[in-house]
């Protein structure tokens, strides 16, 4: 049987429910009943996840949830785990079945396939190298790498010895990277010489030198010659330019008894795993720390049960190949790496999914997926929207009949984009006589039948696994369930273990109304802490200071005392429909969300206001309910300066260089004033609401403003602004 011949038959969430019935005597009439159990009996639910996935620990845990308080919940005390242990347990059975661990390609067509034993060998070799450099449990290792197998190897090697991993994408400028890495004080930097994107090579050796000079705690550098991968002379020159450093190829080349006998360290359940960054509207990016155990157990539940991504060597999901397009600057890179936790082959692509600027090609990823027999194809919602707008015809992209699920996140997916993809896969499957056609146009997919079926069964539409959650807790709150009906433009359900509600302004849960997304019970992968946040002030201010402590904290509904802490407010607008399906309407705060990558407005202001021409600035991101993100930047210029093409170019170049090309605004407008509160705060959220069509009197209190006279310009702009 070849690797991609058989799509899964029984949904993973159905297998889990069968196990609950057999092993726990638990039966549920419908998904809502299952969800309510999972969010009220937290101990029983999370213990079932531990047991179902056979999470290993050499020592027993003394409780599941020892202390139910937010923040500060303590999970599985006494247990010892390691993320890398969970990955490497699959080496032998996956290899015996003939499956790869990682399949990779870049824009230049450089294709590699890494076996599970080779993954283990390279991880062990690099782990021993890091230990030889003095890396101890708790030390931070920073990476400046693209989405390539070497990044996954470096991650697993780091965490296997107890190091704390943190990665930034090489399309980020020096300023943005240093804003992150300076806070965490890394002892090792693992970097690359450059990247290729949009058919252009970008040398990053100068950035590596700047990072090294600005990070005094770094005592060792490992350099991967990514641009010079096929040119030994160029590789030597890159290594000489970055000296002193160790070549990544040398650090992963070891093959000896120590490598063969290497085992990841057993670490406390809440030992730090990685540091990711989610930016608010003020200050530096938040360096969020997640733990080994919480991240592992939540990833297994999300990836396998809700995303229905099975183990490649298990008969029910034989040949599973998981692809989610991402850069290493997005938490979906972490999610892609998480496929290895379940013994799944990860299929990754490094480069521009839309081809080059001169020759746009939105079939690139689809052709790659067809060639590699991908079974689960994920990308940001913006990717599918671009394919729809470009008129991509998937029937011309090769054999995509193995794709049985499409995953999206990053921003709301529009009905139009989802309908486009559904219709495309009706055509794809119509060409393959293994599958019957989908239901006629206008009919909904049958419940429990939203994936391809063998000939002879009534086929269903492609299953869309639309999820939302994020960097903040390395998981998802809302997502998919292959057993439920799907409605274009909606996510199917709130996920098991996630006590998510929509709250009105009075802090009361509402149904079928738009409200603040809150989570009223802890989840194991919620942050342990922020680096440098000794009194938890930033953590509390980011998620827990909106509603009074104790309000809504009783499992199943109701209040507890203030000692129980507060609910988690995520910063999204949410509507929960009566059938349990959900819609995210965009951010309820002023954070920028560009194609799934979030950036604090303060970072953009630092780049823009560093220019001598710019006196003040304000940016708003008008992404809302599946509309394409439209981000205008308003600038106050120095007296005598006019916003001409040259000034506009300097502004956009500054953003592109300091942050990333992803955060270049759609338009720049010169204004007389930026609206501010009496305390001087920029009024981003009220202006965002105004530009999304809400009346001025409902979004802003003029009496609380320092300069209410400036509002007339923004009201007029809201009427005449370019269509999103």
């Amino acid at each position: 049987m070849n690797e991609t011949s058989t799509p899964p038959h029984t949904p993973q969430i159905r297998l889990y429910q069968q196990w609950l019935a057999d092993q726990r005597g638990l039966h549920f009439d419908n998904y809502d009943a299952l969800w309510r159990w999972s969010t009220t009996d937290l101990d029983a639910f999370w213990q079932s996840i531990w047991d179902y996935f056979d999470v290993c620990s050499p020592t027993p845990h003394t409780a599941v949830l020892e202390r139910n308080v937010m923040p500060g919940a303590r999970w599985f005390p006494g247990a010892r785990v390691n993320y890398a242990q969970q990955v490497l347990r699959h080496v032998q059975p996956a290899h015996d079945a003939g499956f790869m661990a990682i399949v990779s390609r870049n824009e230049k067509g450089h294709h590699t396939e890494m076996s599970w034993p080779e993954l283990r060998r390279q991880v062990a070799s690099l782990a021993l190298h890091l230990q030889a450099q003095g890396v101890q449990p708790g030390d931070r290792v920073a990476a400046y790498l693209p989405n390539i197998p070497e990044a996954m190897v470096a991650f697993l090697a780091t965490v296997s010895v107890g190091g704390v991993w943190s990665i930034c994408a090489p399309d980020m400028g020096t300023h943005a990277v240093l804003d992150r890495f300076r806070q965490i004080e890394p002892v090792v930097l693992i970097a690359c010489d450059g990247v290729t994107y949009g058919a252009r090579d970008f040398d990053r050796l100068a950035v590596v030198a700047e990072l090294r000079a600005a990070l005094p705690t770094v005592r060792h550098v490992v350099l991967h010659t990514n641009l010079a991968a096929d040119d030994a002379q160029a590789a030597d020159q890159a290594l000489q330019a970055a000296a002193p450093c160790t070549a990544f190829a040398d650090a992963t080349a070891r093959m000896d008894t120590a490598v063969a006998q290497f085992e990841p360290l057993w670490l406390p359940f809440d030992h730090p795993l990685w540091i990711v960054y989610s930016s608010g509207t003020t200050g530096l990016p938040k360096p969020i720390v997640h733990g080994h155990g919480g991240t592992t157990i939540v990833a297994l539940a999300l990836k396998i049960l809700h995303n229905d991504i099975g183990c490649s060597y298990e008969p029910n999901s034989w040949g599973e190949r998981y692809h989610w397009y991402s850069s290493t600057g997005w938490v979906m890179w972490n999610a892609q790496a998480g496929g290895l936790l379940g013994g799944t082959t990860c299929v990754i692509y490094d480069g521009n999914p839309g081809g080059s600027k001169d020759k746009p090609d939105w079939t690139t990823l689809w052709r790659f997926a067809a060639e590699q027999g991908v079974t689960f194809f994920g990308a940001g919602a913006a990717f599918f929207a671009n394919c729809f707008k470009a008129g991509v015809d998937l029937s011309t992209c090769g054999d995509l009949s193995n794709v049985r699920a499409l995953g999206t996140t990053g921003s709301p997916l529009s009905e139009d984009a989802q309908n486009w993809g559904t219709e495309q896969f009706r055509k794809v499957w119509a060409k393959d006589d293994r599958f019957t056609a989908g239901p006629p146009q206008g009919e909904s997919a049958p419940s429990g039948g939203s994936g391809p079926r063998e000939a002879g069964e009534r086929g269903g539409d492609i299953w869309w696994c639309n999820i939302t959650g994020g960097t903040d807790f390395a998981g998802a709150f809302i997502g998919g369930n292959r057993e439920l009906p799907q409605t274009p433009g909606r996510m199917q359900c709130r996920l098991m273990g996630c006590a998510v509600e929509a709250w009105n302004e009075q802090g009361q849960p509402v149904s079928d109304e738009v409200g603040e997304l809150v989570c009223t019970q802890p989840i194991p992968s919620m942050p342990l802490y922020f680096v440098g946040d000794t009194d938890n002030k930033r953590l509390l201010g980011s998620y827990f200071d909106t509603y009074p402590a104790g309000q809504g904290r009783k499992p199943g509904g109701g209040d507890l005392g203030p000692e129980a802490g507060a609910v988690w407010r995520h910063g999204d607008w949410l509507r929960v429909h009566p059938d349990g399906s959900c819609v995210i309407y965009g951010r309820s705060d002023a954070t920028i969300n560009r194609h799934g990558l979030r950036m604090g407005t303060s970072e953009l202001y630092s780049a823009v206001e560093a220019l001598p021409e710019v006196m003040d600035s304000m940016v708003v991101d008008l992404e809302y309910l599946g509309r394409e993100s439209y981000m205008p930047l308003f600038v106050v210029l120095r007296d005598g300066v006019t916003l001409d093409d040259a000034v506009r170019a300097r502004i956009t170049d500054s953003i592109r260089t300091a942050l990333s090309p992803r955060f270049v605004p759609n338009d720049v407008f010169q204004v007389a004033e930026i609206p501010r509160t009496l305390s001087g705060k920029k009024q981003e959220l009220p202006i965002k609401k105004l530009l999304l069509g809400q009346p001025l009197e409902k979004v802003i209190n003029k009496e609380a403003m320092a300069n209410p006279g400036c509002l007339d310009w923004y009201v007029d702009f809201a009427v005449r602004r370019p269509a999103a």
Side-chain angles (χ1 to χ4, degrees):
M1 183 179 294
N2 95 30
E3 287 191 6
T4 60
S5 62
T6 308
H9 298 287
T10 306
Q12 298 290 337
I13 198 165
R14 189 191 305 173
L15 295 176
Y16 168 68
Q17 290 181 78
Q18 291 171 353
W19 181 90
L20 285 177
D22 295 342
Q23 301 297 319
R24 298 291 195 268
L26 294 171
H27 302 267
F28 302 96
D29 292 337
N30 50 43
Y31 178 74
D32 184 68
L34 173 63
W35 174 77
R36 292 189 184 281
W37 166 74
S38 75
T39 56
T40 53
D41 196 345
L42 299 181
D43 282 26
F45 170 68
W46 288 109
Q47 182 66 56
S48 78
I49 297 298
W50 178 285
D51 294 339
Y52 184 73
F53 291 109
D54 190 28
V55 178
C56 296
S57 170
T59 56
H61 51 271
T62 58
V64 176
L65 179 54
E66 184 180 66
R67 184 176 59 179
N68 186 342
V69 60
M70 291 201 293
R74 190 171 182 221
W75 295 91
F76 295 95
R80 300 184 71 81
V81 296
N82 192 302
Y83 187 107
Q85 279 277 6
Q86 176 65 32
V87 169
L88 298 180
R89 70 192 295 181
H90 298 290
V91 168
Q92 201 57 52
H95 184 61
D96 289 346
F99 296 115
M100 292 290 123
I102 306 169
V103 176
S104 172
R105 184 174 297 172
N106 65 15
E107 278 192 17
K108 295 180 176 178
H110 184 71
H111 185 88
T112 62
E113 299 194 4
M114 183 177 289
S115 71
W116 282 91
E118 178 63 8
L119 173 67
R120 187 201 176 281
R121 189 198 65 74
Q122 289 196 26
V123 167
S125 178
L126 183 56
L128 292 169
H129 177 80
L130 293 174
Q131 286 184 322
Q133 303 306 314
V135 173
Q136 299 292 319
D139 284 346
R140 286 83 180 252
V141 174
Y144 188 62
L145 295 169
N147 184 26
I148 52 178
E150 288 80 3
M152 290 188 179
V153 168
F155 160 57
L156 292 172
T158 296
V159 304
S160 71
V161 298
V164 186
W165 171 259
S166 193
I167 188 167
C168 283
D171 67 355
M172 297 175 69
T174 308
H175 179 77
V177 175
L178 286 176
D179 275 353
R180 288 153 175 77
F181 286 169
R182 272 196 182 116
Q183 295 184 77
I184 70 171
E185 299 182 322
V187 299
V188 172
L189 175 64
I190 304 176
C192 65
D193 60 340
V195 292
T196 302
Y197 192 86
R200 293 178 58 198
D201 287 345
F202 295 88
D203 189 294
R204 286 293 183 257
L205 287 173
V207 177
V208 174
E210 291 180 73
L211 296 179
R212 172 183 238 149
L215 297 170
T217 55
V218 169
R219 56 178 184 257
H220 183 65
V221 173
V222 178
L223 187 76
H224 171 57
T225 50
N226 186 53
L227 279 184
D230 300 318
D231 187 334
Q233 183 177 356
D236 286 342
Q237 291 173 348
L239 290 166
Q240 291 171 13
C245 66
T246 296
F248 190 93
D250 292 340
T252 56
R254 190 167 168 179
M255 300 176 64
D256 56 21
T257 302
V259 166
Q261 295 178 346
F262 175 81
E263 291 291 337
L265 300 177
W266 291 108
L267 302 164
F269 187 87
D270 59 358
H271 185 84
L273 170 70
W274 59 41
I275 301 167
V276 292
Y277 306 90
S278 183
S279 296
T281 56
T282 60
L284 292 169
K286 298 175 295 196
I288 304 170
V289 182
H290 299 128
H292 272 255
T295 303
T296 298
I297 199 169
V298 167
L300 289 169
L302 167 63
K303 199 77 55 195
I304 298 174
L305 302 185
H306 278 288
N307 293 6
D308 201 42
I309 298 168
C311 174
S312 296
Y313 58 85
E314 288 183 352
N316 184 62
S317 47
W318 188 266
E320 188 83 276
R321 286 195 158 201
Y322 168 46
H323 166 80
W324 199 301
Y325 176 77
S326 177
S327 82
T328 52
W330 189 19
V331 77
M332 291 313 299
W333 177 85
N334 305 66
Q336 173 78 80
L340 298 172
L341 286 169
T344 309
T345 299
C346 291
V347 180
I348 63 177
Y349 183 84
D350 178 42
N352 189 339
S356 67
K357 185 176 181 180
D358 297 333
K359 296 181 179 179
D361 179 8
W362 290 100
T363 69
T364 301
L365 282 186
W366 296 111
R367 289 184 284 104
F368 173 56
E371 291 171 17
Q372 300 309 313
V374 165
T375 56
F376 187 105
F377 182 100
F383 169 80
F384 293 101
N386 282 320
C387 292
F388 164 56
K389 292 175 183 177
V392 169
D393 181 356
L394 295 187
S395 67
T396 67
C397 296
D399 183 5
L400 286 164
S401 61
N402 283 300
V403 177
R404 57 178 182 78
L406 299 174
T408 70
T409 191
S411 58
L413 181 70
S414 70
E415 288 187 38
D416 288 343
Q418 185 163 341
N419 287 331
W420 166 83
T422 299
E423 183 60 33
Q424 288 292 315
F425 271 91
R426 287 175 182 166
K427 296 176 181 177
V428 166
W429 291 341
K431 292 174 61 178
D432 193 310
D433 58 12
R434 289 181 300 163
F435 307 117
T436 61
Q441 184 73 33
E443 288 189 20
S444 61
S447 178
S450 50
R453 295 290 183 265
E454 296 293 338
E457 286 187 55
R458 180 173 188 255
D461 281 334
I462 187 75
W463 177 56
W464 287 88
C465 182
N466 304 332
I467 67 174
T468 185
T471 302
D472 307 81
F473 66 104
F477 281 137
I478 301 165
N481 179 339
R482 190 176 275 278
E483 299 279 80
L484 295 177
Q486 53 183 0
T487 301
R490 298 186 194 176
M491 289 166 282
Q492 290 173 293
C493 61
R494 292 170 282 184
L495 302 193
M496 291 184 293
C498 300
V500 167
E501 296 177 344
W503 280 17
N504 61 21
E505 292 182 359
Q506 290 72 44
Q508 300 165 331
V510 294
S511 178
D512 212 16
E513 296 180 23
V514 177
E516 284 277 2
L517 190 163
V518 302
C519 186
T520 65
Q521 296 300 326
I523 297 170
S525 62
M526 283 179 175
L528 300 175
Y529 54 87
F530 293 172
V531 175
D533 188 24
T534 53
D535 57 1
N536 266 358
K537 184 176 181 181
R538 290 193 76 193
L539 180 66
L540 289 166
S542 297
Y543 312 112
F544 298 106
D545 69 349
T546 302
Y547 302 102
Q551 181 176 345
R553 283 284 290 114
K554 188 175 182 179
D559 299 340
L560 293 175
E563 68 280 356
V567 301
W568 173 291
R569 183 184 78 74
H570 195 57
D572 282 339
W573 294 122
L574 165 69
R575 180 179 184 179
V576 182
H577 288 267
D579 64 356
S581 63
C582 298
V583 177
I584 293 291
Y585 286 78
R587 294 294 293 173
S588 63
D589 62 17
T591 303
I592 301 168
N593 182 11
R594 296 288 273 180
H595 313 304
L597 300 179
R598 291 181 179 174
M599 178 75 71
T601 53
S602 62
E603 295 190 80
L604 190 142
Y605 299 147
S606 293
V608 171
E609 293 170 19
L611 296 171
E613 302 98 323
V614 180
M615 303 300 294
D616 201 359
S617 63
M618 183 178 70
V619 67
V620 291
D621 179 13
L622 302 182
E623 171 266 333
Y624 180 82
L625 190 56
R627 301 174 191 170
E628 185 175 358
S629 172
Y630 174 72
M631 191 173 80
L633 172 67
F634 307 102
V635 294
V636 178
L637 300 180
R638 189 177 297 279
D639 287 345
V641 178
T642 301
L643 183 65
D644 56 18
D645 289 344
V647 173
R648 184 177 284 106
R650 283 196 291 274
I651 290 171
T652 56
D653 286 348
S654 180
I655 295 169
R656 183 179 289 108
T657 301
L659 302 179
S660 166
R662 301 170 192 267
F663 296 101
V664 171
N666 295 87
D667 286 308
V668 183
F669 299 96
Q670 184 173 359
V671 296
E673 291 182 274
I674 298 300
R676 290 183 178 270
T677 64
L678 291 171
S679 61
K681 183 178 180 181
K682 299 178 186 185
Q683 297 209 301
E684 299 155 314
L685 187 54
I687 296 301
K688 175 179 176 177
K689 291 179 178 179
L690 175 70
L691 298 185
L692 286 172
Q694 297 188 39
L696 180 67
E697 60 273 13
K698 288 192 175 182
V699 302
I700 203 163
N701 178 7
K702 291 185 178 182
E703 294 181 359
M705 286 189 64
N707 53 350
C710 75
L711 290 175
D712 290 345
W713 187 93
Y714 294 91
V715 171
D716 179 62
F717 178 78
V719 174
R720 60 181 172 82
R721 76 176 182 87

